[in-house]
Every structure is written in C-alpha cells, then in structure tokens.
Amino acid sequence: MRFLSSAETTEKSHPFEIHKNLTKILPFKAVRPTREYAGLVASRSYEDYGDDELKAQLEYNPYSFLHIINPGYKFQHEIGGEKRFGMVKNRYLEFKEDHIFKQDDEPCYYIYKIQTREASCCGIIAAASAEDYGRDVIRRHEDTIAHREELFKDYLKVVGFNTEPVLLTYPDDTTINELLNERMKSRPEYEFATSNKETHSLWLIDDNENIKKIKARFETMEKIYIADGHHRSASSWLLAKESKESNPRHTGKEAYNFFMSYLISESNLRIFEFSRLIKDLNGHSKEEFLILLDEWFRIENRGFEIYRPSKKHHFNMYLDGEFYSLYLRKTNYKFTNSLSELDSYILYEKILKPVLGIEDLRNDNRISYIHGRNDLIELKTRVDNGEFEVGFGMLPAEIEEIKQIADENLTMPPKSTYIEPKLRSGLTIYEF
C-alpha cells in the first residue's frame, strides 16, 4: 500500500474539501472493464455458482472476474490463506496489464441500474467514509464476527482493492432522483443482459456541477443505513484505523479511509424473509411440540393448503405433511423495544431456542435457511423428503423496522433479511 501525500490526495483522490461532521459520500476513480469486456467480466457472487456452472465459467470465459477471485484455477489447484490473497492481486494486475481494465482519469459517481423480470432499481456507486461507520452515521443492524472482520481486513490490505460494494440505503431524495433520471436518458457506458434475464446498465456522472449536487445532498443526511455488507463495512473500518496508525503523514483523505458502496433509496430496496428449516423436534413428539407452542401461539391446522402469513406476528409452519398458522398471543407476549417486535426475534425467543434447543443460529447444523426469493414449495419438499422435520416462515421485515433497530443500537438475529439488489462483481473496482 502506497501512502499518498496530502497534496496528492487533495488533487487526485477527492477534489473536494472534506468536512469532519458532514456525511461523506464521494466520487472516486474506478478501475473498470473497457466497454467491450464489461458483460464478460461481470460475475455474480462466487458463492452463488454451483460447481458445474462455476467450472464452465472458468473454462470458457477467460475474461470472467471469477478468474481473479479464484486464482488457483490457472494452475488447477486449490489455494487458500494469505497465499491466495497474493495470487488474487496477481490475477488482478494481469487484467490491468492486458488492458481488460482501465482506471478513470477523474473521480466520478456511477449510476448502476438492474432490470429484472419483476422489478428494476438504480443507485449510485460511490466511496463511503469508514469514519462515518465508526461514528455511527452509517448505521448497522447486524452483529459481525470478529475473525471474519480480521480475515477480510487482511485480504483487503494484501490485494489493495475492493470490488464488492456495501449496500447502503437512504431516504428518497427528489434532487438525487431527478438527477439520476435525467442522466439515464443518455446512452449508458455499459448495457448487457445476463443468462438469468437481468439487464445491467451503468452511467458515469463526471461533470463537476452534478458531482457537487450529489455530494451536497448526501451531506444533508444525518444517517444512512447498511442494508447488506456489515462485515465488509467493519473490515474497511479496521483497515482504515490500522492504516492511519502506520502512516505518520495521515490526513484523512487517503483512499484507505473510504470503501466502495452502492447507495439506493429506500423505495428501491427489496427485502425478503428467510424461512427456517429444523432437522428434528429436539426429542419432542409431534403432540408434545404443538402443546408447547400453544403457550405463545394460537394454532390452526391448515391441512394441505399452502398457508402464507398475511400479517406481522403471524407465522406459517409445515410439519408432518400439513401446514399450520401460528398467531402470536399478544396478551401473553410483552413488547419492550423494536427488536422484541421483530418476527424473526419472536420465532427465535419463543420456539427455536426454548423448544427446539437452537441457540446459535449461525453455527448449529440442525438449522438451515431458505430465502424468500424461493417458494414455500421448496420448504415443503425438503420436509417431505425427510431432510428436515419442520419448517417456519414469516413476512419480511420492513425498512422502518430495520432502521428503528439500528437507531436503538440493537441487532437483528442472523438471517433476518434477504435484501436485493445483488450486484455483479468486477464492473467498478475501488483501489486504495
């Protein structure tokens, strides 16, 4: 990592004065694929690929960003740990040397639009302040795991770039909306379709007047919220602190003080629930289990009818070939704060932990999750085939619930939300 002088950072990294108490969402000089390679470079998250699809991408598409994050494929060898970090950097440098990637000459904001079969959303890719994360201007609603924070911090330090934006959300803003809509009337820098019937488009905002307008609008916002990417935010904050301590010429304007983010308005955010699947009833018979649930829930057997909750604090359960509705008995249950009203918390506190004996939602191998993008048919199928004993579903959380929990410095249980959009990797890269 090369530390820039104060003069270099003022002129080259961010051309605007940085005021400590203002929310800092800044333009940056992205490294990105040239126009002809964009659709070939862009990839989904590595974990999103099945083995066969991943192999096909690596074998038949030499431009895929997957070659960078899976550098061992070049040698037909699995590589882990810090050795992998160094090879990721090497593959990245090769893409730059081969002119697949280039860096913009001036800082820009980037409008990124995703059109799916169901909906479309657009937002701004920009550099968010690690300091804002540290002083709770960028607010979080999930716990992070310390060793994962450290691991990703070390990864960032070695590779020197960030390609997975943190998803941040802010209240709808008329000025920003109008500016984005006007810019999107012009031809995009990139526009390509993917095999899952999505269209991805990207525009540059590179004129000084509109850059100043966007920067000024974000400075008026007292807080913005992490929708997805809590570990990435925490790791970037750790990297910023560590880099500051080791840089005697630290100014606060260095690139390591920021992390790449995708900012979308709250109306563009799509929130889904996670259903819970449990492998056994913790030693209870079906009858004993239902009696235990009766203390906190009004239970109705729906038979073979696929039941979907229609209200908050209503749950669906699939057990022994039948669906049940579970309505929380509010005369018994006491709401004490915003977290206590969250359905995933209620399910954990009144069923998963006390009745089914599942305390560690991240690591207990008796529980699995299906995100709400998938149908209840999958939940039913996985119970019917004997893989699991019981499944639970609920309505998705609402953005106001998430914000209130963050404002109260509380944290949601793991797998409380599945949030879209999910961005492609490799279209914009933030170097530090």
Side-chain angles (χ1 to χ4, degrees):
M1 183 181 299
R2 183 175 78 89
F3 298 119
L4 301 179
S5 70
S6 175
E8 286 180 301
T9 53
T10 301
E11 179 181 353
K12 295 184 178 181
S13 294
H14 298 295
F16 303 103
E17 189 68 27
I18 297 175
H19 301 283
K20 186 175 181 66
N21 294 323
L22 300 178
T23 303
K24 298 180 284 292
I25 302 297
L26 304 182
F28 68 101
K29 295 186 290 187
V31 175
R32 54 189 182 84
T34 56
R35 189 193 298 266
E36 65 269 27
Y37 293 122
L40 293 170
V41 168
S43 72
R44 305 197 306 272
S45 170
Y46 185 82
E47 294 78 14
D48 197 35
Y49 290 89
D51 291 341
D52 291 340
E53 187 182 9
L54 179 62
K55 182 179 178 182
Q57 283 287 322
L58 291 169
E59 187 166 349
Y60 298 112
N61 181 6
Y63 303 109
S64 173
F65 195 77
L66 293 168
H67 284 283
I68 293 177
I69 57 179
N70 186 25
Y73 180 80
K74 182 176 181 178
F75 305 103
Q76 299 299 305
H77 186 70
E78 287 289 333
I79 299 170
E82 291 191 12
K83 184 180 291 186
R84 174 180 169 269
F85 300 169
M87 291 187 68
V88 167
K89 183 175 182 178
N90 289 342
R91 295 291 85 74
Y92 172 66
L93 292 175
E94 288 172 6
F95 270 51
K96 292 181 73 174
E97 292 161 1
D98 292 340
H99 305 291
I100 298 167
F101 287 148
K102 66 178 180 67
Q103 186 168 30
D104 287 319
D105 294 327
E106 298 296 334
C108 304
Y109 289 116
Y110 303 88
I111 304 174
Y112 185 19
K113 179 181 179 181
I114 305 173
Q115 177 77 51
T116 71
R117 287 169 288 184
E118 299 90 7
S120 69
C121 73
C122 73
I124 300 172
I125 297 175
S129 166
E131 180 189 43
D132 283 351
Y133 174 87
R135 62 191 182 98
D136 205 30
V137 172
I138 297 175
R139 298 201 167 179
R140 45 205 178 270
H141 62 265
E142 289 183 5
D143 276 332
T144 51
I145 301 171
H147 76 85
R148 286 186 61 191
E149 293 179 18
E150 287 287 340
L151 180 66
F152 193 62
K153 182 263 294 179
D154 291 342
Y155 170 82
L156 292 174
K157 187 175 181 179
V158 172
V159 301
F161 67 85
N162 187 346
T163 188
E164 293 188 57
V166 172
L167 184 62
L168 301 177
T169 189
Y170 61 90
D172 281 66
D173 185 278
T174 301
T175 300
I176 293 177
N177 288 344
E178 290 176 351
L179 193 152
L180 299 189
N181 289 333
E182 183 62 30
R183 185 69 183 89
M184 287 190 293
K185 292 178 182 178
S186 62
R187 180 191 179 191
E189 176 74 5
Y190 304 144
E191 186 172 34
F192 59 89
T194 60
S195 58
N196 59 345
K197 298 183 179 180
E198 293 178 349
T199 301
H200 297 256
S201 307
L202 184 135
W203 293 260
L204 276 61
I205 299 178
D206 53 5
D207 63 289
N208 207 42
E209 180 181 353
N210 283 324
I211 285 176
K212 286 183 175 179
K213 286 180 181 178
I214 291 174
K215 179 176 177 288
R217 290 308 301 160
F218 281 117
E219 287 177 347
T220 67
M221 299 178 190
E222 295 182 359
K223 52 196 174 184
I224 54 181
Y225 295 84
I226 299 173
D228 190 25
H230 285 76
H231 281 92
R232 279 168 275 155
S233 305
S235 299
S236 297
W237 169 232
L238 289 178
L239 178 66
K241 290 195 296 181
E242 184 177 292
S243 300
K244 175 183 178 180
E245 291 167 0
S246 62
N247 181 11
R249 302 171 66 191
H250 175 85
T251 66
K253 300 176 184 179
E254 297 85 357
Y256 60 67
N257 292 291
F258 299 85
F259 56 93
M260 187 166 65
S261 297
Y262 182 52
L263 295 107
I264 64 172
S265 62
E266 292 172 6
S267 63
N268 270 269
L269 204 63
R270 303 188 71 205
I271 306 173
F272 300 89
E273 76 284 3
F274 275 98
S275 296
R276 274 76 168 135
L277 289 161
I278 317 298
K279 289 189 175 180
D280 58 67
L281 298 183
N282 198 29
H284 303 297
S285 68
K286 174 184 173 180
E287 292 72 22
E288 291 170 340
F289 179 63
L290 291 172
I291 290 171
L292 289 170
L293 298 192
D294 186 71
E295 178 182 359
W296 294 103
F297 300 91
R298 178 180 173 180
I299 304 171
E300 184 176 342
N301 188 327
R302 303 280 181 154
F304 300 118
E305 171 193 356
I306 294 180
Y307 170 71
R308 300 176 188 275
S310 59
K311 294 181 180 179
K312 191 173 167 61
H313 309 323
H314 288 188
F315 304 84
N316 68 296
M317 179 175 72
Y318 186 68
L319 173 67
D320 195 25
E322 296 177 307
F323 280 93
Y324 294 79
S325 59
L326 308 180
Y327 298 168
L328 181 68
R329 296 186 187 276
K330 296 181 182 179
T331 53
N332 293 353
Y333 186 87
K334 302 301 180 186
F335 298 117
T336 56
N337 55 29
S338 59
L339 182 61
S340 70
E341 298 189 32
L342 188 71
D343 283 346
S344 62
Y345 179 84
I346 294 169
L347 186 64
Y348 173 69
E349 285 292 322
K350 297 307 175 188
I351 299 180
L352 299 183
K353 183 169 69 172
V355 179
L356 294 174
I358 295 177
E359 297 197 22
D360 188 346
L361 293 173
R362 294 186 189 276
N363 300 308
D364 195 315
N365 61 15
R366 295 171 55 227
I367 186 169
S368 187
Y369 304 90
I370 302 173
H371 62 70
R373 289 280 290 166
N374 293 334
D375 197 87
L376 284 177
I377 294 298
E378 181 179 348
L379 181 147
K380 179 181 185 301
T381 299
R382 296 180 72 178
V383 173
D384 287 344
N385 67 19
E387 184 182 358
F388 295 93
E389 188 78 13
V390 62
F392 299 93
M394 68 202 87
L395 288 179
E398 297 178 352
I399 183 60
E400 290 303 323
E401 291 182 272
I402 295 172
K403 290 167 60 178
Q404 186 62 36
I405 287 170
D407 289 346
E408 293 178 20
N409 292 314
L410 301 170
T411 55
M412 299 167 69
K415 300 293 185 181
S416 288
T417 57
Y418 178 84
I419 295 180
E420 291 187 343
K422 303 294 184 186
L423 277 63
R424 295 264 159 166
S425 295
L427 286 180
T428 58
I429 299 167
Y430 180 79
E431 287 190 348
F432 40 83

